[in-house]
């Protein structure tokens, strides 16, 4: 059982936080528009809405907007252990605050500059990313492949 997830579900169902729900729905629209069929394929909108609300609630969410408030990119992550697989996404398992790894997931950006800003914001919001194991999943030839990154990936992104 995941109490934080349940509280997000209740908040979304009660629809009392209209401004927050409107923002979450903007993020959902951005995800659907920019998703390439490899990450959220087959996910209904209400599940994507829950995913975004959940990451906002657990403070593992970053977003970049332009001066008009249009979303240009976003990122979400999980605190976990290096031997975990991505099943914690499907199972809505709570983060492990003492975990030795960060699973970087659901990164979308519409420009290289936006991706750089997301990267800087990620490092600022989650400085432990520079010391922990970094994990991800890449889709290659239709299969999910686990990838381990070094913090050097951030330096590479920021010098593009």
């Amino acid at each position: 059982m995941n109490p934080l997830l349940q509280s997000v579900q209740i908040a979304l169902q009660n629809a009392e936080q209209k401004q927050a729900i409107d923002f979450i729905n903007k993020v959902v629209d951005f995800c659907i528009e920019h998703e390439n069929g490899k990450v959220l394929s087959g996910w209904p909108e209400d599940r994507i809405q829950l995913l975004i609300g959940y990451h906002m609630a657990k403070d593992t969410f970053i977003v970049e907007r332009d001066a008009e408030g249009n979303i240009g990119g976003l990122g979400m992550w999980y605190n976990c252990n290096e031997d975990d697989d991505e099943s914690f996404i499907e199972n809505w398992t709570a983060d492990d605050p003492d975990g030795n790894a960060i699973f970087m997931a659901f990164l979308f950006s519409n420009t290289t500059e936006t991706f750089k800003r997301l990267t800087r914001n990620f490092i600022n919001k989650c400085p432990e990313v520079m010391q922990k194991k970094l994990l991800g999943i890449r889709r290659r030839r239709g299969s999910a492949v686990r990838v381990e990154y070094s913090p050097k990936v951030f330096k590479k992104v920021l010098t593009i």
Side-chain angles (χ1 to χ4, degrees):
M1 180 183 303
N2 186 330
L4 181 60
L5 177 66
Q6 289 178 326
S7 68
V8 171
Q9 287 173 309
I10 291 167
L12 290 170
Q13 289 169 357
N14 290 343
E16 292 176 1
Q17 299 174 359
K18 180 151 177 40
Q19 191 174 15
I21 291 173
D22 288 346
F23 174 72
I24 290 169
N25 287 337
K26 278 180 139 177
V27 176
V28 169
D29 292 343
F30 179 84
C31 288
I32 290 171
E33 181 181 337
H34 292 88
E35 205 276 317
N36 58 10
K38 296 179 181 179
V39 179
L40 300 171
S41 182
W43 285 39
E45 284 187 35
D46 62 336
R47 187 166 180 210
I48 299 170
Q49 184 187 48
L50 180 60
L51 175 77
I52 293 161
Y54 178 58
H55 278 277
M56 288 174 67
K58 66 187 190 90
D59 206 25
T60 57
F61 175 84
I62 51 175
V63 65
E64 280 294 317
R65 293 184 274 184
D66 63 20
E68 292 81 40
N70 299 312
I71 297 170
L74 65 97
M76 296 177 264
W77 64 93
Y78 297 84
N79 296 293
C80 61
N81 287 295
E82 66 181 299
D83 56 344
D84 291 342
D85 62 23
E86 74 274 11
S87 66
F88 53 80
I89 298 170
E90 293 287 326
N91 297 331
W92 299 93
T93 305
D95 280 32
D96 181 351
D98 299 321
N100 64 357
I102 293 175
F103 184 88
M104 301 179 297
F106 308 107
L107 281 153
F108 298 101
S109 175
N110 58 8
T111 69
T112 302
E113 284 308 311
T114 301
F115 192 67
K116 285 180 180 181
R117 285 193 306 274
L118 280 170
T119 301
R120 279 188 212 98
N121 289 342
F122 181 38
I123 294 168
N124 288 335
K125 189 167 189 172
C126 183
E128 60 271 23
V129 75
M130 300 306 287
Q131 285 82 38
K132 291 188 176 185
K133 298 274 186 179
L134 304 175
L135 310 173
I137 297 291
R138 302 283 303 179
R139 304 277 177 205
R140 296 198 177 122
R141 296 182 183 97
S143 298
V145 177
R146 178 186 164 118
V147 179
E148 293 187 16
Y149 298 96
S150 159
K152 292 178 185 176
V153 73
F154 300 124
K155 187 174 183 178
K156 185 176 180 181
V157 166
L158 294 173
T159 58
I160 293 176

